[in-house]
Amino acid sequence: MSTELAISREKLESFLPVLGAEVTEDEKLQDADSGEILTNDEGNVLTVDEIGYLGHGSVEPVEDDFSAIVSHLSDRDIRED
């Protein structure tokens, strides 16, 4: 069974390092090890304020838009959980 965790927007930036990510000076998400800027499934760079969901097992930013979150969850292989 999968466990879900809700984080308030105010705490998100301080929680991201636990997932191996950090926020740049211009508020973009980047991989803490490689410094690579993280993108959503379509390749768009998201800022920390635009994050609506973080995917299971890693930082997979999904924009704060209901249809984007539903699409991301629908595409997920349920057997992964």
Side-chain angles (χ1 to χ4, degrees):
M1 176 156 84
S2 170
T3 301
E4 303 225 358
L5 174 67
I7 301 168
S8 70
R9 184 146 313 273
E10 296 80 30
K11 303 285 185 188
L12 180 61
E13 189 170 342
S14 62
F15 182 75
L16 287 172
V18 173
L19 301 174
E22 58 193 12
V23 180
T24 65
E25 288 183 15
D26 55 351
E27 299 198 354
K28 294 177 183 174
L29 295 179
Q30 72 179 15
D31 183 281
D33 292 331
S34 70
E36 178 183 349
I37 299 297
L38 301 174
T39 60
N40 65 10
D41 291 339
E42 288 80 38
N44 299 319
V45 174
L46 297 174
T47 66
V48 69
D49 291 332
E50 296 172 315
I51 300 304
Y53 179 82
L54 296 172
H56 176 73
S58 65
V59 178
E60 294 178 48
V62 178
E63 63 190 307
D64 191 12
D65 174 71
F66 182 75
S67 61
I69 294 170
V70 168
S71 175
H72 175 79
L73 294 173
S74 297
D75 291 343
R76 223 173 64 182
D77 185 353
I78 295 175
R79 292 173 297 207
E80 291 177 6
D81 294 339

Coordinates of all heavy atoms in Angstrom, one line a residue:
M1 N 0.8 -1.2 0.0 CA 0.0 0.0 0.0 C 0.9 1.2 0.0 O 1.8 1.3 0.7 CB -0.9 0.0 1.2 CG -1.7 1.2 1.3 SD -3.3 1.1 2.2 CE -2.8 1.3 3.9
S2 N 0.5 2.2 -0.8 CA 1.3 3.4 -0.9 C 0.9 4.4 0.1 O -0.3 4.5 0.5 CB 1.0 4.0 -2.3 OG 1.5 5.3 -2.4
T3 N 1.9 5.2 0.6 CA 1.6 6.2 1.6 C 1.7 7.6 0.9 O 2.6 7.8 0.2 CB 2.7 6.1 2.8 OG1 2.6 4.8 3.3 CG2 2.4 7.2 3.8
E4 N 0.8 8.4 1.2 CA 0.8 9.8 0.6 C 1.1 10.8 1.7 O 0.7 10.6 2.9 CB -0.5 10.1 0.0 CG -0.8 9.0 -1.1 CD -1.3 9.6 -2.4 OE1 -1.5 10.8 -2.5 OE2 -1.6 8.8 -3.3
L5 N 1.8 11.8 1.4 CA 2.2 12.9 2.3 C 1.8 14.2 1.7 O 2.1 14.5 0.6 CB 3.7 12.8 2.5 CG 4.3 13.9 3.4 CD1 3.8 13.8 4.8 CD2 5.8 13.8 3.3
A6 N 1.0 15.0 2.5 CA 0.7 16.4 2.1 C 1.6 17.4 2.8 O 1.8 17.3 4.0 CB -0.8 16.6 2.4
I7 N 2.1 18.3 2.0 CA 3.0 19.3 2.5 C 2.4 20.7 2.2 O 2.1 20.9 1.0 CB 4.4 19.2 1.9 CG1 5.0 17.8 2.2 CG2 5.3 20.3 2.4 CD1 6.2 17.4 1.4
S8 N 2.4 21.6 3.2 CA 1.9 22.9 2.9 C 2.9 23.6 2.0 O 4.1 23.4 1.9 CB 1.7 23.7 4.2 OG 3.0 24.0 4.7
R9 N 2.3 24.5 1.2 CA 3.2 25.3 0.2 C 4.3 26.0 0.9 O 5.4 26.1 0.4 CB 2.3 26.2 -0.6 CG 3.1 27.0 -1.6 CD 2.3 27.3 -2.9 NE 1.5 26.3 -3.5 CZ 2.0 25.4 -4.4 NH1 3.2 25.4 -4.7 NH2 1.2 24.5 -4.9
E10 N 4.0 26.5 2.1 CA 5.1 27.2 2.9 C 6.3 26.3 3.2 O 7.4 26.8 3.4 CB 4.5 27.8 4.2 CG 3.4 28.9 3.9 CD 2.0 28.3 3.6 OE1 1.7 27.1 4.1 OE2 1.3 28.9 2.9
K11 N 6.1 25.0 3.4 CA 7.1 24.1 3.8 C 7.7 23.4 2.6 O 8.7 22.7 2.8 CB 6.5 23.0 4.8 CG 5.9 23.6 6.0 CD 6.9 24.1 7.0 CE 6.2 24.6 8.2 NZ 7.1 25.2 9.1
L12 N 7.2 23.5 1.4 CA 7.6 22.7 0.3 C 9.1 22.9 0.0 O 9.9 22.0 -0.2 CB 6.8 23.0 -1.0 CG 7.2 22.3 -2.2 CD1 7.0 20.8 -2.1 CD2 6.3 22.8 -3.4
E13 N 9.5 24.2 -0.1 CA 10.9 24.5 -0.4 C 11.9 23.8 0.6 O 13.0 23.3 0.2 CB 11.2 26.0 -0.5 CG 12.5 26.4 -1.0 CD 12.6 27.8 -1.3 OE1 11.6 28.5 -1.4 OE2 13.8 28.3 -1.5
S14 N 11.6 23.8 1.8 CA 12.5 23.2 2.8 C 12.4 21.7 2.8 O 13.3 21.0 3.2 CB 12.2 23.7 4.2 OG 10.9 23.4 4.6
F15 N 11.4 21.1 2.2 CA 11.2 19.6 2.1 C 11.9 19.0 0.9 O 12.3 17.9 0.9 CB 9.7 19.3 2.1 CG 9.5 17.8 2.1 CD1 9.7 17.0 3.2 CD2 9.1 17.2 0.9 CE1 9.5 15.6 3.2 CE2 8.9 15.8 0.9 CZ 9.1 15.0 2.0
L16 N 12.0 19.8 -0.2 CA 12.6 19.3 -1.4 C 13.9 18.7 -1.3 O 14.2 17.7 -2.0 CB 12.6 20.4 -2.5 CG 11.2 20.7 -3.1 CD1 11.3 22.0 -4.0 CD2 10.6 19.6 -3.8
P17 N 14.9 19.2 -0.5 CA 16.2 18.5 -0.4 C 16.1 17.0 0.1 O 16.9 16.2 -0.3 CB 16.9 19.3 0.7 CG 16.3 20.7 0.5 CD 14.9 20.4 0.2
V18 N 15.0 16.7 0.8 CA 14.8 15.3 1.2 C 14.6 14.4 0.0 O 15.0 13.2 0.0 CB 13.6 15.2 2.2 CG1 13.3 13.7 2.5 CG2 13.9 16.0 3.5
L19 N 14.1 15.0 -1.0 CA 13.8 14.3 -2.3 C 14.9 14.4 -3.3 O 14.8 14.0 -4.4 CB 12.5 14.8 -2.9 CG 11.3 14.6 -2.0 CD1 10.1 15.3 -2.7 CD2 11.0 13.2 -1.7
G20 N 16.0 15.1 -2.9 CA 17.1 15.3 -3.8 C 17.0 16.5 -4.8 O 17.6 16.5 -5.8
A21 N 16.2 17.4 -4.4 CA 16.0 18.6 -5.3 C 16.2 19.8 -4.5 O 16.2 19.8 -3.2 CB 14.5 18.6 -5.9
E22 N 16.4 20.9 -5.1 CA 16.5 22.2 -4.5 C 15.9 23.3 -5.4 O 15.6 23.1 -6.6 CB 17.9 22.5 -4.1 CG 18.9 22.5 -5.3 CD 20.3 22.5 -4.9 OE1 20.6 22.3 -3.7 OE2 21.2 22.7 -5.8
V23 N 15.8 24.5 -4.8 CA 15.2 25.6 -5.6 C 16.3 26.6 -5.9 O 17.1 27.0 -5.0 CB 14.1 26.3 -4.8 CG1 13.5 27.5 -5.5 CG2 13.0 25.3 -4.4
T24 N 16.4 27.0 -7.2 CA 17.4 27.9 -7.6 C 17.0 29.4 -7.1 O 15.9 29.6 -6.6 CB 17.6 27.9 -9.1 OG1 16.4 28.4 -9.7 CG2 17.9 26.6 -9.6
E25 N 17.9 30.3 -7.3 CA 17.6 31.7 -7.0 C 16.4 32.2 -7.7 O 15.7 33.1 -7.2 CB 18.9 32.6 -7.2 CG 20.0 32.3 -6.2 CD 21.2 33.3 -6.4 OE1 21.0 34.3 -7.1 OE2 22.2 33.0 -5.8
D26 N 16.2 31.8 -9.0 CA 15.1 32.2 -9.7 C 13.9 31.3 -9.6 O 13.0 31.3 -10.4 CB 15.4 32.5 -11.2 CG 16.0 31.2 -11.9 OD1 16.4 30.3 -11.2 OD2 16.2 31.3 -13.1
E27 N 13.9 30.5 -8.5 CA 12.8 29.6 -8.0 C 12.5 28.4 -8.9 O 11.4 27.9 -8.9 CB 11.5 30.4 -7.8 CG 11.7 31.4 -6.7 CD 10.4 32.0 -6.1 OE1 9.4 31.6 -6.6 OE2 10.5 32.7 -5.1
K28 N 13.4 28.0 -9.8 CA 13.3 26.8 -10.6 C 13.7 25.6 -9.7 O 14.6 25.8 -8.9 CB 14.1 26.9 -11.9 CG 13.6 28.0 -12.8 CD 14.5 28.1 -14.0 CE 14.1 29.2 -14.9 NZ 15.0 29.4 -16.0
L29 N 13.2 24.4 -10.0 CA 13.6 23.2 -9.4 C 14.8 22.6 -10.1 O 14.9 22.6 -11.3 CB 12.5 22.2 -9.3 CG 11.3 22.5 -8.6 CD1 10.2 21.4 -8.7 CD2 11.6 22.8 -7.1
Q30 N 15.8 22.2 -9.3 CA 16.9 21.5 -9.9 C 17.3 20.3 -9.1 O 17.1 20.2 -7.9 CB 18.1 22.5 -10.1 CG 18.8 22.8 -8.8 CD 20.0 23.8 -9.0 OE1 20.1 24.3 -10.1 NE2 20.9 23.9 -8.1
D31 N 18.0 19.3 -9.8 CA 18.5 18.2 -9.1 C 19.6 18.6 -8.2 O 20.6 19.3 -8.6 CB 19.0 17.2 -10.1 CG 19.5 15.9 -9.5 OD1 20.6 15.9 -9.0 OD2 18.7 14.9 -9.5
A32 N 19.6 18.2 -6.9 CA 20.6 18.7 -6.0 C 22.0 18.1 -6.3 O 23.0 18.8 -6.1 CB 20.2 18.3 -4.6
D33 N 22.1 17.0 -6.9 CA 23.4 16.4 -7.2 C 24.0 16.9 -8.6 O 25.1 17.3 -8.6 CB 23.3 14.9 -7.3 CG 23.1 14.3 -5.9 OD1 23.5 14.9 -4.9 OD2 22.5 13.2 -5.8
S34 N 23.2 16.8 -9.6 CA 23.7 17.2 -10.9 C 23.5 18.7 -11.3 O 24.2 19.2 -12.2 CB 23.0 16.4 -12.0 OG 21.6 16.8 -12.1
G35 N 22.6 19.3 -10.6 CA 22.3 20.7 -10.9 C 21.4 20.9 -12.1 O 21.1 22.0 -12.5
E36 N 21.0 19.8 -12.7 CA 20.1 19.8 -13.8 C 18.7 20.4 -13.4 O 18.1 20.0 -12.4 CB 19.9 18.4 -14.4 CG 18.9 18.3 -15.5 CD 18.7 16.8 -16.0 OE1 19.5 15.9 -15.5 OE2 17.8 16.6 -16.7
I37 N 18.2 21.3 -14.3 CA 16.9 21.9 -14.0 C 15.8 20.8 -14.3 O 15.9 20.2 -15.4 CB 16.6 23.1 -14.9 CG1 17.7 24.2 -14.6 CG2 15.2 23.7 -14.8 CD1 17.6 24.8 -13.2
L38 N 14.9 20.6 -13.4 CA 13.8 19.6 -13.5 C 12.7 20.2 -14.3 O 12.3 21.4 -14.2 CB 13.4 19.2 -12.2 CG 14.5 18.6 -11.3 CD1 13.9 18.3 -9.9 CD2 15.0 17.3 -11.9
T39 N 12.0 19.3 -15.1 CA 10.9 19.7 -15.9 C 9.7 18.7 -15.7 O 9.9 17.6 -15.2 CB 11.3 19.7 -17.4 OG1 11.7 18.4 -17.8 CG2 12.4 20.7 -17.7
N40 N 8.6 19.1 -16.2 CA 7.4 18.2 -16.2 C 7.5 17.3 -17.3 O 8.4 17.3 -18.1 CB 6.1 19.0 -16.1 CG 5.8 19.9 -17.3 OD1 6.5 19.7 -18.4 ND2 4.8 20.7 -17.3
D41 N 6.4 16.5 -17.5 CA 6.4 15.5 -18.6 C 6.5 16.1 -20.0 O 7.0 15.4 -20.9 CB 5.1 14.6 -18.5 CG 5.1 13.7 -17.3 OD1 6.1 13.5 -16.7 OD2 4.0 13.3 -16.9
E42 N 6.1 17.3 -20.1 CA 6.1 17.9 -21.5 C 7.4 18.7 -21.7 O 7.6 19.3 -22.7 CB 4.9 18.9 -21.6 CG 3.6 18.3 -21.8 CD 3.0 17.8 -20.5 OE1 3.1 18.5 -19.5 OE2 2.4 16.7 -20.5
G43 N 8.3 18.7 -20.7 CA 9.6 19.3 -20.8 C 9.6 20.8 -20.4 O 10.6 21.5 -20.6
N44 N 8.5 21.3 -19.8 CA 8.4 22.6 -19.3 C 9.0 22.8 -17.9 O 8.8 22.0 -17.0 CB 7.0 23.1 -19.2 CG 6.3 23.1 -20.6 OD1 6.9 23.4 -21.6 ND2 5.0 22.6 -20.6
V45 N 9.9 23.8 -17.8 CA 10.5 24.1 -16.5 C 9.4 24.7 -15.6 O 8.6 25.6 -16.0 CB 11.6 25.1 -16.6 CG1 12.2 25.5 -15.3 CG2 12.7 24.5 -17.5
L46 N 9.3 24.2 -14.3 CA 8.3 24.7 -13.4 C 9.0 25.4 -12.2 O 10.1 25.0 -11.8 CB 7.4 23.6 -12.8 CG 6.6 22.9 -13.9 CD1 5.9 21.7 -13.2 CD2 5.6 23.8 -14.5
T47 N 8.4 26.4 -11.7 CA 9.0 27.1 -10.5 C 8.3 26.4 -9.3 O 7.3 25.7 -9.4 CB 8.6 28.6 -10.4 OG1 7.2 28.7 -10.3 CG2 9.2 29.3 -11.7
V48 N 8.9 26.6 -8.1 CA 8.4 26.0 -6.9 C 6.9 26.4 -6.7 O 6.2 25.6 -6.1 CB 9.3 26.3 -5.7 CG1 9.2 27.7 -5.3 CG2 9.0 25.4 -4.5
D49 N 6.5 27.6 -7.1 CA 5.2 28.0 -6.8 C 4.2 27.3 -7.8 O 3.0 27.4 -7.5 CB 5.0 29.5 -7.1 CG 5.7 30.3 -6.0 OD1 5.8 29.8 -4.8 OD2 6.2 31.4 -6.2
E50 N 4.6 26.7 -8.8 CA 3.7 26.0 -9.8 C 3.6 24.5 -9.5 O 2.8 23.9 -10.2 CB 4.3 26.2 -11.2 CG 4.3 27.6 -11.6 CD 5.0 27.8 -13.0 OE1 6.1 27.2 -13.1 OE2 4.4 28.5 -13.8
I51 N 4.2 24.0 -8.5 CA 4.1 22.6 -8.2 C 2.8 22.2 -7.5 O 2.4 22.8 -6.5 CB 5.3 22.1 -7.3 CG1 6.6 22.4 -8.0 CG2 5.2 20.6 -6.9 CD1 6.8 21.8 -9.3
G52 N 2.1 21.2 -8.1 CA 0.9 20.8 -7.6 C 0.9 19.4 -7.1 O 0.1 18.9 -6.3
Y53 N 2.0 18.6 -7.5 CA 2.1 17.2 -7.2 C 3.5 16.8 -7.4 O 4.1 17.2 -8.4 CB 1.1 16.3 -8.0 CG 1.2 14.9 -7.7 CD1 0.5 14.3 -6.7 CD2 2.0 14.0 -8.5 CE1 0.6 13.0 -6.4 CE2 2.0 12.7 -8.2 CZ 1.3 12.1 -7.2 OH 1.4 10.8 -6.9
L54 N 4.0 15.9 -6.5 CA 5.4 15.4 -6.7 C 5.2 13.9 -6.9 O 4.6 13.2 -6.0 CB 6.3 15.7 -5.5 CG 6.6 17.1 -5.3 CD1 7.3 17.3 -4.0 CD2 7.4 17.7 -6.4
G55 N 5.7 13.3 -8.0 CA 5.4 11.9 -8.3 C 6.1 11.0 -7.3 O 7.1 11.3 -6.7
H56 N 5.6 9.8 -7.3 CA 6.1 8.7 -6.4 C 7.5 8.3 -6.8 O 7.8 8.1 -7.9 CB 5.1 7.5 -6.6 CG 5.5 6.2 -5.9 ND1 5.4 6.2 -4.5 CD2 6.1 5.1 -6.3 CE1 5.9 5.0 -4.1 NE2 6.3 4.3 -5.2
G57 N 8.3 8.2 -5.7 CA 9.7 7.7 -5.9 C 10.7 8.6 -6.3 O 11.9 8.3 -6.2
S58 N 10.4 9.8 -6.8 CA 11.4 10.8 -7.2 C 10.7 12.1 -7.3 O 9.5 12.2 -7.1 CB 12.0 10.4 -8.5 OG 11.1 10.4 -9.5
V59 N 11.4 13.1 -7.7 CA 10.8 14.4 -7.9 C 10.3 14.5 -9.4 O 11.1 14.6 -10.3 CB 11.7 15.6 -7.6 CG1 11.1 16.9 -7.9 CG2 12.2 15.5 -6.2
E60 N 9.0 14.3 -9.6 CA 8.4 14.5 -10.9 C 7.5 15.6 -10.8 O 6.3 15.4 -10.4 CB 7.7 13.2 -11.3 CG 8.5 12.0 -11.5 CD 7.6 10.8 -11.9 OE1 6.7 10.9 -12.7 OE2 7.8 9.7 -11.2
P61 N 7.9 16.8 -11.0 CA 7.0 18.0 -10.8 C 5.9 18.0 -11.8 O 6.1 17.7 -13.0 CB 7.9 19.2 -11.0 CG 9.1 18.7 -11.8 CD 9.2 17.2 -11.4
V62 N 4.7 18.2 -11.3 CA 3.5 18.3 -12.1 C 2.9 19.6 -11.7 O 2.7 20.0 -10.6 CB 2.5 17.2 -11.8 CG1 1.2 17.3 -12.6 CG2 3.1 15.8 -12.1
E63 N 2.5 20.4 -12.8 CA 2.0 21.8 -12.5 C 0.8 21.7 -11.7 O 0.0 20.8 -11.7 CB 1.8 22.5 -13.8 CG 0.8 21.9 -14.7 CD 0.8 22.6 -16.1 OE1 0.7 23.8 -16.2 OE2 1.0 21.9 -17.1
D64 N 0.5 22.8 -11.0 CA -0.6 23.0 -10.1 C -1.9 23.3 -10.9 O -2.4 24.4 -11.0 CB -0.4 24.1 -9.1 CG -1.4 24.2 -8.0 OD1 -2.2 23.2 -7.9 OD2 -1.4 25.1 -7.3
D65 N -2.3 22.2 -11.6 CA -3.5 22.3 -12.5 C -4.2 21.0 -12.4 O -3.5 19.9 -12.6 CB -3.0 22.6 -13.9 CG -4.1 22.6 -14.9 OD1 -5.0 23.5 -14.9 OD2 -4.2 21.6 -15.7
F66 N -5.5 21.0 -12.1 CA -6.2 19.7 -11.9 C -6.0 18.7 -13.0 O -5.7 17.6 -12.8 CB -7.7 20.0 -11.6 CG -8.5 18.8 -11.3 CD1 -8.4 18.2 -10.1 CD2 -9.3 18.2 -12.3 CE1 -9.1 17.0 -9.8 CE2 -10.0 17.1 -12.0 CZ -9.9 16.5 -10.8
S67 N -6.2 19.2 -14.3 CA -6.1 18.3 -15.4 C -4.7 17.7 -15.6 O -4.5 16.6 -16.0 CB -6.5 19.0 -16.7 OG -5.7 20.1 -17.0
A68 N -3.6 18.5 -15.3 CA -2.3 18.0 -15.3 C -2.0 16.9 -14.3 O -1.4 15.9 -14.6 CB -1.3 19.1 -15.2
I69 N -2.5 17.1 -13.1 CA -2.4 16.1 -12.0 C -3.1 14.8 -12.4 O -2.6 13.7 -12.2 CB -2.8 16.7 -10.7 CG1 -1.9 17.8 -10.3 CG2 -2.8 15.6 -9.6 CD1 -2.4 18.6 -9.1
V70 N -4.4 14.9 -12.8 CA -5.2 13.8 -13.2 C -4.5 13.0 -14.4 O -4.4 11.8 -14.3 CB -6.6 14.2 -13.6 CG1 -7.3 13.0 -14.3 CG2 -7.4 14.7 -12.4
S71 N -4.0 13.8 -15.3 CA -3.3 13.1 -16.5 C -2.0 12.4 -16.0 O -1.8 11.2 -16.4 CB -2.9 14.2 -17.5 OG -2.1 13.6 -18.5
H72 N -1.3 13.0 -15.1 CA -0.1 12.3 -14.5 C -0.4 11.0 -13.8 O 0.2 10.0 -14.0 CB 0.7 13.3 -13.6 CG 1.9 12.7 -12.9 ND1 3.1 12.5 -13.6 CD2 2.0 12.1 -11.7 CE1 3.9 11.9 -12.8 NE2 3.3 11.7 -11.6
L73 N -1.4 11.1 -12.9 CA -1.8 9.9 -12.2 C -2.4 8.9 -13.1 O -2.3 7.7 -12.8 CB -2.8 10.4 -11.0 CG -2.2 11.2 -10.0 CD1 -3.3 11.7 -9.0 CD2 -1.1 10.5 -9.2
S74 N -3.1 9.2 -14.1 CA -3.7 8.3 -15.0 C -2.7 7.5 -15.8 O -2.9 6.3 -16.1 CB -4.7 9.0 -16.0 OG -5.7 9.6 -15.3
D75 N -1.6 8.2 -16.1 CA -0.5 7.6 -16.9 C 0.4 6.6 -16.1 O 1.1 5.8 -16.6 CB 0.4 8.6 -17.5 CG -0.3 9.4 -18.6 OD1 -1.4 8.9 -19.1 OD2 0.2 10.5 -19.0
R76 N 0.3 6.7 -14.7 CA 1.1 6.0 -13.8 C 0.7 4.5 -13.8 O -0.5 4.2 -13.9 CB 0.9 6.5 -12.4 CG 2.2 6.6 -11.7 CD 2.0 7.3 -10.4 NE 1.1 6.5 -9.5 CZ 0.7 6.9 -8.3 NH1 1.1 8.0 -7.8 NH2 0.0 6.1 -7.6
D77 N 1.7 3.6 -13.8 CA 1.4 2.2 -13.7 C 1.0 1.9 -12.2 O 1.9 2.0 -11.4 CB 2.6 1.4 -14.1 CG 2.4 -0.1 -14.2 OD1 1.3 -0.6 -13.8 OD2 3.3 -0.8 -14.6
I78 N -0.2 1.5 -12.0 CA -0.7 1.2 -10.7 C 0.2 0.1 -10.0 O 0.3 0.1 -8.8 CB -2.2 0.8 -10.7 CG1 -3.0 2.0 -11.1 CG2 -2.6 0.4 -9.3 CD1 -4.4 1.8 -11.3
R79 N 0.7 -0.8 -10.7 CA 1.5 -1.9 -10.1 C 2.8 -1.3 -9.5 O 3.4 -2.0 -8.7 CB 1.9 -2.9 -11.1 CG 0.6 -3.7 -11.6 CD 1.0 -4.5 -12.7 NE 1.4 -3.7 -13.8 CZ 1.3 -3.9 -15.1 NH1 0.9 -5.1 -15.5 NH2 1.7 -3.1 -16.0
E80 N 3.2 -0.1 -9.8 CA 4.4 0.5 -9.2 C 4.2 0.7 -7.7 O 5.2 0.7 -6.9 CB 4.7 1.8 -9.8 CG 5.2 1.7 -11.2 CD 5.4 3.1 -11.8 OE1 5.3 4.1 -11.1 OE2 5.7 3.2 -13.0
D81 N 3.0 0.9 -7.2 CA 2.7 1.3 -5.8 C 2.8 0.1 -4.9 O 2.7 -0.9 -4.7 CB 1.4 2.0 -5.7 CG 1.4 3.3 -6.3 OD1 2.5 3.9 -6.5 OD2 0.3 3.8 -6.7

